[in-house]
């Protein structure tokens, strides 16, 4: 079902482009119902061009974007948020829904330049929403209604999996699913290089690696079996797969991945501190 509201995107970076294209690709919203804004600076026109190319509205004026929108996605860098919120606050009607897609920025920091009656959502989808296979979570402040939550889930679920969680989980969500695609891309690239090392043409190796990761993910999703059980199902006694698994274990593979999620989570928390310092300087 197509969304009737106008969607504003304050900030026109890669995540904004991915979300906009995902919403249009899944017929969730008509392209003309999206308006994107970014400052008139060198290079910004190129990112806004992606919105123009799909038939969406663009502007260099953030206030205009907010005024013309029913639901506003805040998609700037964290250090820019205090300035941007101060800029748009006068035109951010309390009936409008503000959805932040800024890593690490808590609801309290988003609400500080506004009021307790402003409806604010903290969300973190990921870039695979571009192809309708995103994954992420969101948290809300007390002003957000059940109807607002339905709108949030209708928008974001059209591009993949979305779930409401307590805000205390949001940094870990950023570390796992927000940053996770990068880890998977590295794994696919490594699988590909392994195939090339053993004599496969790169094009074939990449295709096999991509389909293998996709197929394994679908197996986990569709069968409901634990990943380790599915792993055991592939490992024959004394075979090549268990030998490879032993090699990965000896290299600390699992620990490295766990550390990656941990470090990304901690860095997400640090970003909130950087945003706060930027806000203090702007006062």
């Amino acid at each position: 079902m197509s969304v009737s509201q106008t969607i504003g995107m304050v900030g026109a970076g890669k995540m904004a482009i991915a979300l906009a294209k995902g919403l249009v690709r899944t017929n969730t919203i008509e392209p003309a119902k999206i308006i994107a804004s970014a400052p008139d600076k060198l290079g910004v026109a190129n990112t806004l061009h992606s919105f123009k190319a799909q038939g969406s509205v663009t502007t260099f004026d953030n206030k205009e974007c907010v005024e013309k929108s029913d639901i506003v996605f805040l998609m700037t860098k964290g250090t820019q948020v205090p300035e941007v919120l101060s800029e748009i606050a006068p035109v951010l009607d309390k009936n409008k829904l503000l959805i932040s897609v800024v890593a690490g920025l808590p609801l309290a920091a988003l609400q500080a330049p506004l009021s307790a009656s402003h409806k604010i959502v903290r969300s973190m989808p990921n870039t695979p929403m571009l192809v309708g296979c995103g994954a992420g979570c969101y948290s809300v402040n007390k002003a957000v209604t059940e109807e607002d939550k339905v709108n949030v889930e209708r928008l974001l679920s059209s591009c993949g999996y979305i779930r409401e969680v307590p805000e205390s989980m949001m940094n870990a969500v950023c570390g796992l699913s927000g940053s996770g695609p990068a880890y998977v891309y590295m794994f696919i690239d490594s699988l590909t290089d392994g195939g090339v090392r053993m004599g496969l043409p790169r094009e074939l190796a990449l295709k096999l690696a991509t389909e293998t990761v996709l197929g394994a993910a679908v197996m986990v999703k569709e069968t409901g079996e634990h990943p380790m059980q599915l792993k055991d199902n592939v490992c024959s006694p004394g075979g090549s797969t268990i030998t490879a698994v032993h090699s990965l274990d000896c290299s600390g593979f699992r620990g490295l991945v766990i550390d990656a999620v941990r470090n990304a989570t901690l860095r997400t928390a640090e970003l909130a501190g950087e945003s706060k310092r930027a806000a203090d300087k702007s006062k």
Side-chain angles (χ1 to χ4, degrees), residues 108-192:
L110 291 163
Q111 190 168 305
L114 305 173
S115 71
S117 56
H118 275 96
K119 301 186 290 187
I120 304 172
V121 178
R122 176 184 175 183
S123 72
M124 182 45 60
N126 59 15
T127 53
M129 62 188 170
L130 174 63
V131 292
C133 295
C137 296
Y138 73 95
S139 300
V140 302
N141 73 348
K142 293 181 179 179
V144 172
T145 66
E146 290 302 318
E147 183 180 354
D148 293 326
K149 291 181 186 180
V150 170
N151 284 328
V152 172
E153 297 199 4
R154 182 170 54 168
L155 285 169
L156 297 181
S157 66
S158 67
C159 299
Y161 175 81
I162 189 72
R163 176 179 171 181
E164 183 184 5
V165 297
E167 190 182 14
S168 59
M169 295 183 181
M170 284 300 297
N171 287 349
V173 170
C174 292
L176 174 55
S177 57
S179 301
Y183 319 151
V184 178
Y185 298 145
M186 290 181 69
F187 181 60
I188 291 173
D189 186 56
S190 298
L191 277 179
T192 300

